[in-house]
Amino acid sequence: MIVVMSRNATKEEINNVEKKLSELGFSTHPIYGEVKTVIGAIGDKRYLNTHEITSMPGVECLVPIMKPYKLASRELQQNNTIIDVGGVKIGGSNIVVMAGPCAIESADTFLETAVKVKEAGARILRGGAFKPRTSPYSFQGLEEDGLKILAEAREVTGLKIVTEVVDTRDVELVNSYADILQIGARNMQNFRLLREAGMTTKPVLLKRGLSATIEEWLMAAEYILAAGNPNVILCERGIRTYETATRNTIDMSAIPVIKELSHLPIVVDPSHATGMWKYVGALAKGAVATGADGLIIEVHSNPASALSDGPQSLRPEKFAQLMKELQAVAAAVGRNI
Ligand code: PEP
Ligand code: MN
């Protein structure tokens, strides 16, 4: 439920309400708006005597949150969440582009690509050190050596880094290197992993599960938020449908639907959505036009030799060209890139 405080409620009154709610077993999430403060109270209301709260000084009213996800819901927070990744803001007027290879393969090739995506205008560098591969015989990633290469690339380029964590046992390690923790599609409902990521202070890029509904995806985000981490970035990366012409089917309607249901930022991954580099540009432009807050795009200096996802990776020159084309689309929807 939402406890709406009156316009002139004092800080002390707000604190007292929070204290009371905690005593009654609720977790509290105050949101300080320009005009009013509201307190999200998450817990079991069955035995709550609502009068105990409504009669407190400074309280205007109680409003139930109807959606099963509470903290992720726009009912609780009307303003968009803007996530600050060391100065790079995701969810505001700028479209943030994250780019880099699917996996970190060697220091030299990774650094070369990192410098090129930076020159083209990417703000965040991607690269997997722990890879969730369909086959156990495929390249599984360089693990901590890969994380060290990522950190070196951050040092050289100044770009922030996003990288996937696939197992609860690695959260601490990945957290010690990454600026954004990525939770992949295959782990969207790994609830222990969501909780662990929720106990860190790093923003989490939560990819939509292979066949997850929007509600299931928001419930996964809720796990991270409920564990105490308010910085969740949703990522639409295509879902499984009957269509086989592309690797997955992008759900473009998820963008406005998420914008209506949630205050969290949403980015789009056109690389995994299509599985083919030649379609990446069209979907990237479509995503920006549809209201996405950012993109995550796979770029590889030599896709033919890539150890994972070569067919969907753009060459750096193609990526640079796409970044130019995206500027016009962003401008048409009143945003910058
Ligand atoms: C990735 O980003 O390389 C990845 C494995 O993505 P997804 O979880 O969306 O398949
Ligand atoms: Mn990939």
Side-chain angles (χ1 to χ4, degrees), residues 102-103 126 131 247 272 298 308-309 312:
C102 179
R126 66 148 289 149
K131 293 306 304 173
R247 183 177 180 185
H272 291 87
E298 287 187 339
S308 84
D309 288 347
Q312 67 193 34

Side-chain angles (χ1 to χ4, degrees), residues 42 61 64 71 100 154 180 231 242 258 268 270 307 313 324:
I42 312 297
C61 62
L71 301 173
R154 170 174 50 203
I180 303 177
N231 296 319
Y242 54 81
I258 288 288
V268 168
L307 297 179
S313 299
K324 290 201 187 105

